Amino acid sequence: MKLNLFSFLFTFTILSSHVLSISDLILTKVDRRIDLSTQIVRTTTTLKVENAGSDIVSEILLPFPENHAIHLAYLSATLNEGRGKAKPSSGAGLPYDEVVSPKDFPNSLKVYSVTLPKGLGKGDSLTLDVLAVFTHILQPFPEKITQADIQLLLFQETAHYLTPYPVKVQSLVVKLPDARIESYTKLEKTKLQGSELKYGPYENLPRFSYLPMVIHFENNQPFAVAKELVREIEISHWGNVQITEHYNLVHGGAQSKGEFSRLDYQARPYVRGASAFRRLVAKLPPRAHSVYYRDEIGNISTSNLWGDSKKTELEIEPRYPIFGGWKTAFTIGYGLPLQDFLFGIDGKRFLNISFGSPINELVIDTLIVKVVLPEGSKDISPSVPFPVKQSHETKFSHLDIAGRPVVVLEKNNAVPEHNEHFQVYYKFNRLSMLREPLMLIFGFFFLFVASIVYMHADLSISKTSASYLAKIQWEEVQATIRQVHTIISRCLTTHDKLEASLRDLSRTGDIQGCKATRKSVDSSLKELTKELKSPVAFLQSSPQAAQILPKVEEVIAKERDLQERLMAKHSTVVDCYEKKLGGREIENRVASHQQKITALRQEIDDLMDLIDEI
């Protein structure tokens, strides 16, 4: 893996030659804390800022190296009182914008400007908390591992806080998932305590001071990355908000190589699958109901649900453990009480609900939130606390006429910090709620009226018409053909009994038993022949049977021929057994009969199938 440390050193060596006079701010103290315990890197920086100049300062610049800025997912800056308590007047966060780098700044930096609520005068100071959240910044090293290997990651940063202002004192604490570290850059004033790596304090640092460091450490936490998450929020004014979330998930850590052994994994999952993740936890809103978890195959039963009045947790487990580079797709759905999320103000209604995914520590490359409003909604305006791409579409559901308006909000590189509440305002006429019930009432009313008309109307065909008589005659022909079919089938069953008696004779040598069966079969076939006479005579007299009669007569003739062949074969075999001839001699004598019997049986079966089709 190539490390871009030399390019950084070169860039910032050039930087040190510039004397920047952007303002007379001084950072009297900088405390940084970098959390590497999950796949999401969170950098929390507390800046104590002092204005040492005479001009009033209204903004503070926060630069980031470009190789970090491209992974920046979330940034916030808030004022505090120095003890972690936000000022009531400061709000959720100070506004900031990306600005063009000043001419004395290098091209390798991306700069954000934080606007202060009021100008900072000469000698004044304040404390600023900055939270920066990065994704896909931890580099697997090695990039490919086997099932039995642990996952090692590489993290590159500067031990000195990168800023355009001079720093009096600064310190850095890096929190790791556990105490195991492969290697780390050992600088002046470096100390490893348990799972925390401390750098500093460093004093009197110049502008843009840069001291590269690299940490190579173990991290087997779930690297769950949603390549795409489509979150559909459907509002029903009948009392429910239905949430449906479609996940396309991948393990974003070190790629898995080699074969996967289910046996090894089942025996020692935390050794032979340390880098895989087996389950995820979704924290659903309170009073969530009708929760389901399924994929393309169907419902997935490996899930658990806990809930009380304050929270609902869903633990989901995929059908198989997810190793590096492996993918899975599934859907989570649940319902929420409407009164907890829909409110009214100034003649408008508005939905107030969280934006992101409920799954813990999930990185989402593309998050699409679709808010489906009731049909007839108008004057729609969403309000989101951070920049998103907005569009509109229409969804058709049951009993819709014009379709339901859908607000589509798209956000790239979303993290749990984006799981803030957003609002969708719209107007809706209460009378529109009666549309669907009235459609159902009138639909059932017309159905019942049509049923009454149908029951009282005589739609039957006259019994004296030629078409009706022809229909009746054809039905009689069909019934007769079924009767003939049944009789022929019984004849074939009787033939099978005769064949079975010969097999018993060859096995037991009971000649008398075989003759008795022959006598019984003869009697049965005579009775069946008598039964055939009546239906055949009807078919011969009916003009409707003219097309099918030749086939019926043919199958009857072949059945009689088959009877004669079977009887001849039976007589020959019994005679041979009485004369105590050998098996080879018996086979030679009945060979011609058997060949003809097989051919006749096949022809009869084909004719029976043909009659069924007609």
Side-chain angles (χ1 to χ4, degrees), residues 107-257:
N107 295 330
S108 58
L109 290 181
K110 183 173 286 189
V111 183
Y112 293 88
S113 173
V114 177
T115 303
L116 301 178
K118 65 177 182 178
L120 194 65
K122 179 180 179 180
D124 293 339
S125 64
L126 59 81
T127 302
L128 188 69
D129 284 338
V130 178
L131 172 62
V133 181
F134 301 91
T135 61
H136 304 296
I137 200 171
L138 297 177
Q139 304 172 8
F141 189 74
E143 294 182 349
K144 295 183 179 181
I145 58 176
T146 64
Q147 178 182 347
D149 293 336
I150 59 174
Q151 181 172 258
L152 298 175
L153 304 175
L154 207 63
F155 177 67
Q156 305 175 53
E157 195 30 297
T158 169
H160 291 174
Y161 180 58
L162 182 61
T163 177
Y165 312 110
V167 179
K168 287 187 176 181
V169 180
Q170 87 116 73
S171 61
L172 170 63
V173 177
V174 181
K175 178 176 174 52
L176 301 166
D178 51 48
R180 177 173 178 182
I181 302 178
E182 290 289 309
S183 63
Y184 62 93
T185 303
K186 296 179 181 179
L187 305 172
E188 182 184 2
K189 298 181 180 180
T190 303
K191 187 177 182 180
L192 179 62
Q193 289 183 336
S195 61
E196 289 190 346
L197 183 61
K198 298 182 180 181
Y199 289 91
Y202 302 111
E203 298 178 354
N204 299 321
L205 301 178
R207 296 180 175 94
F208 292 109
S209 177
Y210 183 79
L211 188 59
M213 68 171 191
V214 179
I215 305 175
H216 193 204
F217 63 100
E218 177 184 349
N219 189 340
N220 292 312
Q221 297 298 316
F223 271 47
V225 178
K227 289 298 183 181
E228 183 181 71
L229 166 57
V230 180
R231 192 164 185 255
E232 186 176 271
I233 305 170
E234 186 168 355
I235 301 174
S236 171
H237 282 177
W238 296 101
N240 187 59
V241 177
Q242 182 63 38
I243 312 292
T244 307
E245 299 172 351
H246 304 280
Y247 290 85
N248 186 1
L249 216 63
V250 66
H251 189 307
Q255 300 289 304
S256 177
K257 67 177 181 179

Side-chain angles (χ1 to χ4, degrees), residues 51 53-58 118-122:
N51 186 4
S54 58
D55 297 331
I56 296 177
V57 178
S58 60
K118 65 177 182 178
L120 194 65
K122 179 180 179 180

Side-chain angles (χ1 to χ4, degrees), residues 497-515 517 569-578 586:
K497 290 182 180 179
L498 195 63
E499 291 277 19
S501 69
L502 292 178
R503 289 192 294 272
D504 292 341
L505 176 62
S506 64
R507 188 176 67 255
T508 63
D510 186 4
I511 298 175
Q512 296 303 320
C514 188
K515 288 182 177 181
T517 302
K569 174 186 174 182
H570 189 274
S571 299
T572 302
V573 172
V574 171
D575 183 59
C576 290
Y577 269 90
E578 288 179 342
I586 295 174

